[in-house]
Amino acid sequence: MDLEIGSGKGTFLVQQASLEPQVRFLGVEYARAFALYAGDRLRRRGVANARMMHTDGVMLIRFYLPNDFFRQVHLYFPDPWPKKRHHKRRFFQTENLIEVHRVLMDPTPGLPESGRFRVATDHADYFAWMEEHAKQAEHLFERLPYEPPASAGECEVVGTNFERKYREEGRTFHGMILRKRPA
Ligand SMILES: C[S@@+](CC[C@H](N)C(=O)[O-])C[C@H]1O[C@@H](n2cnc3c(N)ncnc32)[C@H](O)[C@@H]1O
């Protein structure tokens, strides 16, 4: 199973789950209107291998999700919380990296995407923060060269709703893939 935190309107789930019907996907979104919209989109498109959950992904990953369970965890265009006093609200931080590491399965031969945490942002300062925190978590994750998911369109980093909307403004996008180091 794959987990996406902050699915927004569910574009990634609709696209990627349709391409991989053998994999189950769980999308988590705490804005109720988006969670309902994404769930309805999956239903209308007949994407039977993906589900939406309306809840806080941080609480979910810290207190409810099992060890060594998800093939991949996806985090696309998380809220950047640009003010310094709000940085502690960023999803990409040490406490959550420890939880992402815990819930990911170990990389498994024959399952090339396994044990991966995939991230994208358009926010240069947040990306620098991510790089710094990834470096501090080198004992947990190995950084891999970024490759878009199979569902991304040409020149897209992921191809979510957010990316498509802001690409028109000329924004730059950054992607990161971290592969779990087995505990
Ligand atoms: C900038 S939007 C990006 C949405 C989508 N990933 C995309 O790329 O189109 C960030 C989304 O993450 C959601 N979000 C932020 N923090 C969250 C959390 N702790 N748990 C679940 N969803 C969260 C927000 O409600 C918002 O829909």
Side-chain angles (χ1 to χ4, degrees):
M1 186 185 275
D2 278 23
L3 172 70
E4 187 190 20
I5 294 173
S7 301
K9 292 184 174 176
T11 304
F12 168 72
L13 286 179
V14 168
Q15 297 176 159
Q16 191 65 30
S18 302
L19 274 187
E20 293 188 293
Q22 76 287 4
V23 179
R24 289 174 299 148
F25 286 79
L26 175 64
V28 181
E29 173 52 60
Y30 76 4
R32 182 179 147 80
F34 285 160
L36 289 174
Y37 181 90
D40 191 49
R41 249 178 120 188
L42 292 167
R43 182 189 59 78
R44 280 186 280 117
R45 303 277 182 103
V47 184
N49 55 322
R51 295 281 187 278
M52 278 305 301
M53 212 173 161
H54 170 220
T55 194
D56 177 354
V58 174
M59 298 306 277
L60 189 72
I61 202 166
R62 288 197 185 173
F63 299 113
Y64 295 99
L65 297 179
N67 295 352
D68 306 317
F69 187 72
F70 292 98
R71 179 186 71 153
Q72 300 189 95
V73 175
H74 307 264
L75 178 71
Y76 298 134
F77 306 100
D79 297 329
W81 295 107
K83 289 182 184 156
K84 198 161 184 192
R85 70 176 187 277
H86 291 153
H87 282 181
K88 57 183 179 291
R89 298 184 190 174
R90 289 175 164 176
F91 183 86
F92 201 109
Q93 55 177 297
T94 304
E95 290 89 330
N96 293 337
L97 286 177
I98 292 168
E99 298 302 336
V100 170
H101 182 268
R102 181 183 65 75
V103 303
L104 275 172
M105 63 192 290
D106 287 349
T108 306
L111 199 51
E113 305 291 325
S114 50
R116 294 186 187 193
F117 181 34
R118 305 182 52 100
V119 184
T121 182
D122 66 319
H123 197 274
D125 172 65
Y126 195 8
F127 191 61
W129 162 287
M130 289 172 174
E131 291 193 302
E132 182 57 37
H133 283 73
K135 206 177 255 176
Q136 287 168 17
E138 261 176 357
H139 58 296
L140 298 178
F141 295 101
E142 173 191 3
R143 189 167 168 187
L144 302 180
Y146 186 78
E147 282 173 22
S151 59
E154 212 180 315
C155 302
E156 286 181 338
V157 173
V158 189
T160 69
N161 217 62
F162 183 95
E163 179 180 347
R164 288 176 185 161
K165 181 172 170 191
Y166 290 105
R167 185 170 290 283
E168 287 169 17
E169 282 186 7
R171 289 198 197 178
T172 305
F173 303 101
H174 314 272
M176 181 185 290
I177 299 178
L178 300 179
R179 181 166 59 197
K180 175 178 178 175
R181 293 189 198 275

